[in-house]
Amino acid sequence: MTKAAVFTGASDALEIWDIDVAAPKAGEVKVRLAASGVCHSDLSILNGTIPMAPPMVLGHEGAGIVEEIGPGVTLVQPGDHVVISWVPQCGKCYCCDRGQPELCEAGAGTMMSGGMLDGTKRFSRNSTEIGQMAASGTFTEYTVIPEISAVKIDNDLPLDKMCLIGCGVLTGAGAAINTAQVGPGDTVAVIGCGGVGLNTIQGARIAGAERIIAVDMVASKLKLAEQFGATDTVNAANGDPVAAVQALTGTGPLGPRGVDYAFEVVGSSVTAEQAMSMTRRGGTMIMVGVGRVDDTLKDFSLFGELFMGAKTIKGSVYGSANVHRDVLRFAGLYRQGKLLLDELISKTIKLEEVNQAFADIQNGEVARSVILY
Ligand SMILES: [Zn+2]
Ligand SMILES: [Zn+2]
């Protein structure tokens, strides 16, 4: 038995259930969670933005200690401390072979199924099967995950901070470092300064960006953005953010220039179009936010943006992360004091308080709430 926060489909809140956890099968491990961040994508499943079938244990930003291993597991042992990846990266499919493990074909199917790599489920209640978000399901004391989703870290690293690497850091900082490949001297704009956007900002800082312009409508988030490395801030509540960013990036003979890289970290066509407009000719717009299935770009000129502008649009899934390389890389940056994690945590909460954490996300009040088990 374990206590879990479950998306039931019958309510607009998660319900706390006592559920059964099966033993790990071949190639799987059981993890006793130490901590789980509450991410906007958990809320997006609850409110239908990301379509997933209930019942499902949500949560995908976790860290814990391996409790038990299934047959054939070689990557970790009981007692190992691990960060959980929400894309199981198989290392041998078409995309993994091409250096794009974030698109792992085995992982993508598993994420949508709510089960393990073989499609079956490990959680249940009264013989009803319960799925788990993205082969992780971290809103529970115990979970079973594919061995390849468990990334071993040094035992002295604090698990209540390391959990944030599992989604917010890989997704946000990864978008700057891996997807965009921001370099020294570059100019960057980041629209949306929540848990992921703050990580995009610190990723750009770590990559050596000269100018990092943070855009949000909440003054307290812009204040945090400065702590994470923003050199300038634009409060979009006070006027057109595109004009404000262009005013900061100079004007040439053809008009206002814009930034080398504009990151959309909200998940809306409105801000995506703003990000396109903030991007300079020859620059790149990176879509990090998770938008609705039916939301599409409309104000997008083939001549102006793509031909004369020669702009690139890049989608970014999981910060183009190779989790087995990048979790360790970010843990090392934390040790060096370059990656801020403690500062991301606005609140630590109990599992039962998860719905309040969602309310805080919607009110724009927190960077991250972290559940401690
Ligand atoms: Zn997330
Ligand atoms: Zn793969």
Side-chain angles (χ1 to χ4, degrees), residues 90-93 96 104-105:
C90 79
K92 49 196 177 203
C93 71
C96 284
C104 176
E105 291 177 330

Side-chain angles (χ1 to χ4, degrees), residues 308-326:
M308 286 300 288
K311 296 181 186 181
T312 302
I313 303 182
K314 277 190 171 180
S316 180
V317 181
Y318 212 3
S320 309
N322 175 329
V323 295
H324 295 277
R325 174 195 67 191
D326 291 343

Side-chain angles (χ1 to χ4, degrees), residues 56-332:
M56 176 177 278
V57 175
L58 299 190
H60 59 283
E61 189 178 72
I65 301 172
V66 175
E67 176 93 357
E68 184 183 343
I69 60 173
V73 168
T74 56
L75 296 177
V76 291
Q77 293 297 319
D80 282 350
H81 290 206
V82 295
V83 169
I84 294 175
S85 161
W86 57 254
V87 178
Q89 300 187 340
C90 79
K92 49 196 177 203
C93 71
Y94 180 91
C95 291
C96 284
D97 276 348
R98 279 153 187 77
Q100 295 177 308
E102 76 279 10
L103 302 179
C104 176
E105 291 177 330
T110 304
M111 281 169 63
M112 297 313 291
S113 78
M116 289 286 102
L117 286 166
D118 66 3
T120 63
K121 294 175 178 160
R122 300 291 169 271
F123 290 129
S124 63
R125 186 173 77 153
N126 303 331
S127 75
T128 299
E129 289 190 333
I130 300 170
Q132 62 193 92
M133 180 176 177
S136 39
T138 59
F139 290 168
T140 176
E141 296 159 308
Y142 291 94
T143 188
V144 172
I145 60 172
E147 165 187 23
I148 51 173
S149 297
V151 184
K152 182 176 163 12
I153 56 169
D154 291 341
N155 282 14
D156 65 320
L157 287 163
L159 291 169
D160 58 334
K161 315 293 188 309
M162 289 297 111
C163 67
L164 300 173
I165 293 179
C167 181
V169 173
L170 286 171
T171 302
I177 295 170
N178 295 327
T179 314
Q181 299 187 1
V182 170
D186 287 341
T187 55
V188 167
V190 178
I191 306 178
C193 300
V196 175
L198 290 171
N199 276 302
T200 303
I201 289 168
Q202 67 173 338
R205 167 178 50 75
I206 290 164
E210 183 189 344
R211 195 123 193 223
I212 304 169
I213 305 166
V215 183
D216 205 289
M217 296 175 78
V218 179
S220 61
K221 287 187 174 173
L222 291 172
K223 196 84 200 139
L224 256 182
E226 288 179 336
Q227 195 181 349
F228 279 74
T231 56
D232 303 86
T233 59
V234 168
N235 191 328
N238 299 339
D240 177 19
V242 176
V245 168
Q246 286 174 337
L248 289 166
T249 49
T251 300
L254 299 177
R257 287 210 178 90
V259 293
D260 298 314
Y261 299 100
F263 294 87
E264 201 279 2
V265 200
V266 177
S268 143
S269 55
V270 175
T271 35
E273 283 163 10
Q274 290 172 350
M276 276 304 289
S277 302
M278 286 173 191
T279 303
R280 72 164 174 85
R281 294 175 71 228
T284 304
M285 185 278 242
I286 300 97
M287 191 70 201
V288 183
V290 184
R292 296 192 70 89
V293 173
D294 57 1
D295 196 7
T296 54
L297 279 179
K298 295 167 198 79
D299 183 16
F300 179 72
S301 158
L302 296 182
F303 182 81
E305 307 279 14
L306 280 188
F307 179 69
M308 286 300 288
K311 296 181 186 181
T312 302
I313 303 182
K314 277 190 171 180
S316 180
V317 181
Y318 212 3
S320 309
N322 175 329
V323 295
H324 295 277
R325 174 195 67 191
D326 291 343
V327 167
L328 300 183
R329 183 181 276 182
F330 286 122

